[in-house]
Amino acid sequence: MRRLVLICMFSVLFALVSTGADDGPLQGFTRENSVAERQWEAKFRAIPSPQNQREYLLRLSAHPHHVGSSYDKENAEWILSKFKEWGWNTQLETFDVLFPTPKERLLEMVEPTRFTAKLKEPALSADPTSNQQNEQLPAYNAYSVDGDVTAPLVFVNYGLPKDYEELDRLGVSVKGAIVIAKYGNSWRGIKPKIAAEHGAIGCLIYSDPADDGFSVDNVFPNGPMRNSDGVQRGSVMDFPSTSPGDPLTPGVGATPEANRLALKDASSITKIPVLPISYGDAQPLLAALVGPIAPKEWRGGLAISYHVGPGQSRVHLKVSFNWDIKRIYDVIAKIPGAEQPDQWVIRGNHHDAWVNGAADPGSGQVTMLEEARSLGELTKQGWRPKRTIIYCAWDGEEPMLLGSTEWAEAHDKELQQYAVAYINSDGNGRGYLSMVGSHSLEHLVNGIARDIQDPETNLSVWQRSHLHEIAEAKTDDDRKELRQRADLRMKALGSGSDYTAFIDHLGIASLNLSYGDEDDDGIYHSIYDDFYWFTHFSDTDFVYGRALSQTIGTSVMRLAGADLLPFEFADLADTIHLYLKELKKMADDERAKLIEQDKEIEEGVFSATSDPRRPRMAPPHVDVPPFLNFAPLDNAADALTNSAERYQEALKKAWVAGISPAMLQDLNQKLMESERRLSTPEGLLRRPWYKHMIYAPGVYSGYAAKTLPGVREAIEQKQWAEANSEIARVAAVLDGETALINAAARELEQPAGR
Ligand SMILES: [Zn+2]
């Protein structure tokens, strides 16, 4: 109790120093309502407390809480009770999902010498929760198929398509072999997928110290990095080519009565067995490899010569799983909208973890909880949001976005009708604001970033990010753009957290916001991601936790309170032009590269420079690609720019003249639809669950975003006819968006309607 009083006093002080300068009404607000909104937002930003976040994190991360564990359910019930305490309308929604856990894990070298991998992360005396071994899930890759294989081993670098091209040139095949890949540079599930496509029969993934171990900084518990026993757990479900969520109920909510596929028909389960290991376990296996020395960029930080393999050594990998259905618990909490209850602003962060999960997801979950407490506090003071606010603490994110995907699929019709936007966070750290999301919200997020104070510099987080980006810029052109463009560019959403079903499947404008970049970490998905680690090596005083609560809470309030939804299309159009430029350059570069390569094959460059003692074959001949016809996209992008400018101009005049409530209502419906228009009912080719035509996770990259994915991936995969037809399809989608924006502008231009 006494502590609470102290927090309130600090909060008041904080409010006094953080009152920003007002310049003109907020985007989407009438002059009068903007004044009131600013006052409520300032009150809101004074409430979130770092100390509360610390206490929530201590509670949430006190025990392992993966899907199906008792503490997972206890956490969900505790979160539910907190939302209720803060005055929210709250309920649990449950789903029943396939969640495999390890039954057997064996990895040994059987020839020429014997070595059995430890597959164990030991308790450390400094770290009080690392000894909860009975509650911990052992290190494994979820949705790996069962398997028992013995074979030679081949090192495949990060296991990307280009790594296999290099293996071909070195004359090394992975057919019938077990591959060992480094973690990183792609989402982990891509590695076994590509390995299986090349004929491998098993896949090991290890964390090399060059990437997140001693080459970067001291290792845990003396530093933040991965020690020789630390292992990255994680899902390897092939969600990019199928869909995330429960593998037995693709496209529909995993309710008790849902039709379920048989396990053998679940297409997102891997084709070959997979196991993640530490670098302690990987070193003897890598050291036993012979064959060509690994290319320079492949070598890691271990004190060995990295060979590609194979050699005399044979490795035995055996994994099997309990293929159980487990119940997951989403906490769904609402504040009903006072004027537009059927327009929903949705906010989420998961609560399940691989083990204790203080950084992932605890550090994000606690910022969301403080937002919820603060919004609850505002309602007690008389604040009423226009629109309905829905806060979601998701379960089952780690196995592959289970809680959010099942909820989104179960409520798909309502969400497509009522959802305004979805705002996600996951982990949070110290440093710079990371803004990722739908570009129709880029201007809004930039505006909010200008209103949030950075805890370390007292600059606005926008100013700090701006200066950081200037420091990091690679070219003069980039620096010039940073100094001239009004808004910082937002990155595009790929996948890897709970926004995926909202943006990719339902076409709901989405954001993912966090702070970070100042600290390195090597505890991701290990038993050492816990309260001890977080409070020694990350946002130790939770001031960036408070900043994230302020940032996202303000975003929620502004979206829920605006007279006219703060969507804006000039940044979207500008971004489409940028993507188009990238695609043209990519197609040109690929063409030039293949022409040059063919010339060099003919000239005998490769055979002349292959060292007979270290032979390297010529790349295979590939037909030079035809020129692509980008004209439909050029025209569509220009038309989009014109409509965005027209809308802006019409809106500026209409605000001065006044906009009638009826017209606002109608415009808001159009604006809600604007992101939906960027998706198509038939979706992307060969993966129809993904409906959005501008953003998608990559089939061969995983989490990393592919923008204009139909066109980009066709070019990457040298499918030239498909690239041309996808250009036309994306152009048609953009034309639909342009028509919608023009219709909104036309409405604003009619004086009668005001
Ligand atoms: Zn997470």
Side-chain angles (χ1 to χ4, degrees):
M1 272 300 149
R2 196 182 311 148
R3 183 174 281 142
L4 275 177
V5 173
L6 274 175
I7 290 159
C8 292
M9 285 170 56
F10 280 125
S11 302
V12 170
L13 286 175
F14 187 76
L16 290 177
V17 296
S18 69
T19 313
D22 289 15
D23 25 36
L26 290 168
Q27 183 192 355
F29 287 82
T30 63
R31 190 164 288 278
E32 189 190 358
N33 289 346
S34 176
V35 173
E37 173 70 17
R38 279 191 197 279
Q39 285 167 353
W40 281 118
E41 286 183 8
K43 280 186 194 166
F44 166 81
R45 289 197 287 271
I47 304 175
S49 132
Q51 183 57 30
N52 283 359
Q53 294 195 2
R54 186 186 172 91
E55 284 168 23
Y56 304 151
L57 190 66
L58 185 60
R59 139 96 226 182
L60 289 169
S61 67
H63 292 275
H65 50 285
H66 51 271
V67 166
S69 65
S70 59
Y71 206 67
D72 175 74
K73 183 167 181 245
E74 279 178 47
N75 271 348
E77 284 164 352
W78 180 79
I79 292 167
L80 176 92
S81 73
K82 297 310 275 186
F83 272 101
K84 284 193 169 159
E85 183 187 318
W86 299 327
W88 292 64
N89 219 321
T90 315
Q91 58 176 45
L92 280 184
E93 272 194 59
T94 64
F95 296 97
D96 298 327
V97 296
L98 178 71
F99 180 61
T101 53
K103 191 156 55 178
E104 281 176 290
R105 299 174 312 140
L106 174 68
L107 173 65
E108 52 185 2
M109 182 157 61
V110 291
E111 284 172 45
T113 51
R114 270 198 102 83
F115 159 74
T116 304
K118 200 154 71 160
L119 308 180
K120 194 154 182 57
E121 296 175 296
L124 301 172
S125 55
D127 177 8
T129 58
S130 62
N131 65 0
Q132 298 167 334
Q133 310 222 320
N134 296 335
E135 299 166 73
Q136 295 163 357
L137 271 182
Y140 76 116
N141 286 129
Y143 306 102
S144 157
V145 71
D146 290 346
D148 183 353
V149 291
T150 303
L153 192 68
V154 175
F155 174 51
V156 296
N157 193 26
Y158 292 105
L160 309 180
K162 66 175 171 41
D163 297 325
Y164 287 89
E165 285 170 21
E166 183 60 28
L167 284 173
D168 284 345
R169 298 193 59 190
L170 293 170
V172 175
S173 165
V174 303
K175 217 166 171 36
I178 296 172
V179 302
I180 180 164
K182 291 187 285 192
Y183 260 117
N185 277 345
S186 79
W187 172 64
R188 72 183 81 74
I190 296 298
K191 300 166 197 284
K193 171 164 132 174
I194 300 175
E197 286 175 1
H198 286 82
I201 60 169
C203 179
L204 303 172
I205 315 177
Y206 84 101
S207 304
D208 195 281
D211 293 316
D212 69 357
F214 57 73
S215 307
V216 182
D217 198 341
N218 292 333
V219 302
F220 192 66
N222 301 317
M225 304 313 293
R226 204 176 294 275
N227 57 40
S228 63
D229 296 312
V231 185
Q232 183 189 138
R233 287 155 188 74
S235 177
V236 288
M237 179 196 287
D238 186 9
F239 80 96
S241 356
T242 55
S243 58
D246 174 31
L248 303 184
T249 61
V252 298
T255 53
E257 63 277 5
N259 285 328
R260 284 178 166 72
L261 297 174
L263 181 57
K264 65 171 175 45
D265 298 324
S267 55
S268 55
I269 292 170
T270 65
K271 304 285 179 280
I272 57 175
V274 196
L275 187 69
I277 60 175
S278 66
Y279 57 80
D281 278 339
Q283 176 150 354
L285 304 177
L286 290 167
L289 293 178
V290 293
I293 194 82
K296 199 158 186 233
E297 324 73 72
W298 289 31
R299 300 170 205 160
L302 295 169
I304 56 169
S305 302
Y306 284 72
H307 287 266
V308 171
Q312 295 310 304
S313 66
R314 289 173 70 77
V315 167
H316 177 206
L317 167 66
K318 185 177 187 192
V319 287
S320 68
F321 304 93
N322 307 300
W323 293 92
D324 298 330
I325 302 283
K326 292 277 161 68
R327 180 149 288 189
I328 54 172
Y329 302 86
D330 289 342
V331 185
I332 309 292
K334 294 180 188 173
I335 299 178
E339 293 172 30
Q340 305 288 346
D342 52 359
Q343 294 179 5
W344 300 351
V345 176
I346 309 165
R347 156 79 172 114
N349 194 110
H350 71 102
H351 67 76
D352 70 300
W354 275 120
V355 197
N356 296 70
D360 178 11
S363 59
Q365 180 65 226
V366 301
T367 67
M368 187 171 85
L369 290 174
E370 267 303 89
E371 285 162 50
R373 184 182 71 83
S374 306
L375 293 177
E377 197 61 44
L378 286 196
T379 58
K380 283 181 202 145
Q381 297 174 26
W383 172 74
R384 293 284 174 275
K386 269 197 187 63
R387 303 185 174 82
T388 296
I389 295 175
I390 305 180
Y391 267 50
C392 314
W394 307 117
D395 199 355
E397 189 268 359
E398 293 297 0
M400 194 40 75
L401 322 178
L402 305 177
S404 56
T405 303
E406 297 313 316
W407 190 79
E409 289 175 345
H411 298 281
D412 56 353
K413 298 282 173 312
E414 303 153 82
L415 284 166
Q416 280 176 321
Q417 210 178 335
Y418 305 135
V420 167
Y422 173 73
I423 308 178
N424 191 69
S425 61
D426 199 322
N428 191 50
R430 216 166 52 86
Y432 306 94
L433 176 63
S434 154
M435 310 185 283
V436 190
S438 298
H439 290 87
S440 50
L441 295 174
E442 183 171 278
H443 190 60
L444 172 76
V445 178
N446 270 270
I448 287 160
R450 290 184 169 94
D451 287 343
I452 309 297
Q453 192 181 41
D454 175 67
E456 285 170 352
T457 61
N458 296 336
L459 298 167
S460 76
V461 301
W462 189 93
Q463 286 171 309
R464 194 171 188 220
S465 285
H466 183 227
L467 297 173
H468 181 231
E469 286 186 23
I470 289 174
E472 301 277 297
K474 298 216 164 51
T475 67
D476 284 344
D477 281 349
D478 290 349
R479 275 182 288 273
K480 193 171 157 201
E481 182 186 278
L482 278 163
R483 291 183 175 120
Q484 285 178 355
R485 196 175 190 264
D487 289 336
L488 293 174
R489 287 195 182 278
M490 230 166 42
K491 288 186 209 74
L493 289 168
S495 184
S497 197
D498 290 307
Y499 50 78
T500 308
F502 294 93
I503 178 95
D504 293 334
H505 188 56
L506 299 178
I508 295 166
S510 300
L511 294 169
N512 190 66
L513 300 173
S514 63
Y515 288 87
D517 236 22
E518 283 189 313
D519 298 305
D520 287 307
D521 75 80
I523 44 72
Y524 178 59
H525 291 183
S526 76
I527 68 166
Y528 310 118
D529 174 2
D530 57 20
F531 190 77
Y532 180 89
W533 181 88
F534 193 83
T535 52
H536 284 78
F537 301 110
S538 188
D539 181 23
T540 51
D541 49 7
F542 293 84
V543 290
Y544 278 94
R546 175 172 60 193
L548 188 61
S549 294
Q550 292 168 334
T551 310
I552 300 187
T554 302
S555 312
V556 167
M557 289 178 74
R558 225 169 265 187
L559 279 161
D563 298 294
L564 181 70
L565 287 171
F567 286 77
E568 197 265 12
F569 305 99
D571 281 346
L572 172 67
D574 178 52
T575 305
I576 299 286
H577 277 283
L578 180 77
Y579 294 160
L580 186 49
K581 202 169 125 192
E582 284 172 13
L583 290 183
K584 287 177 179 171
K585 183 173 185 310
M586 194 170 105
D588 283 348
D589 289 355
E590 183 66 12
R591 224 183 114 75
K593 187 188 112 188
L594 292 175
I595 290 171
E596 172 63 23
Q597 184 175 295
D598 241 20
K599 204 179 279 172
E600 291 182 17
I601 294 173
E602 263 171 49
E603 288 169 337
V605 169
F606 296 102
S607 50
T609 57
S610 177
D611 176 346
R613 295 188 191 172
R614 298 175 192 84
R616 194 157 172 272
M617 281 171 252
H621 163 83
V622 180
D623 286 338
V624 172
F627 285 104
L628 297 175
N629 178 17
F630 282 105
L633 260 181
D634 282 322
N635 291 328
D638 274 4
L640 183 64
T641 301
N642 292 340
S643 70
E645 285 168 3
R646 179 181 169 189
Y647 173 76
Q648 211 117 308
E649 201 50 42
L651 186 58
K652 209 190 291 168
K653 287 184 187 147
W655 276 129
V656 177
I659 310 177
S660 72
M663 188 186 279
L664 281 173
Q665 172 88 348
D666 196 69
L667 286 170
N668 281 332
Q669 284 304 325
K670 288 194 170 72
L671 292 166
M672 276 170 73
E673 208 195 312
S674 64
E675 193 83 13
R676 244 75 94 212
R677 285 268 178 123
L678 297 173
S679 59
T680 58
E682 58 277 13
L684 296 177
L685 297 176
R686 296 174 294 279
R687 42 175 181 155
W689 187 89
Y690 292 91
K691 311 285 186 204
H692 208 292
M693 302 302 284
I694 310 299
Y695 317 113
V699 170
Y700 286 102
S701 66
Y703 288 170
K706 293 288 174 184
T707 54
L708 311 183
V711 184
R712 191 179 295 266
E713 294 195 323
I715 296 173
E716 285 173 355
Q717 292 158 31
K718 304 184 175 61
Q719 302 297 319
W720 312 111
E722 186 173 309
N724 273 328
S725 58
E726 287 294 294
I727 286 172
R729 211 153 70 98
V730 177
V733 164
L734 293 179
D735 287 343
E737 182 79 351
T738 299
L740 183 76
I741 299 168
N742 276 331
R746 209 174 306 122
E747 203 164 332
L748 286 164
E749 286 159 0
Q750 285 165 6
R754 288 182 206 142

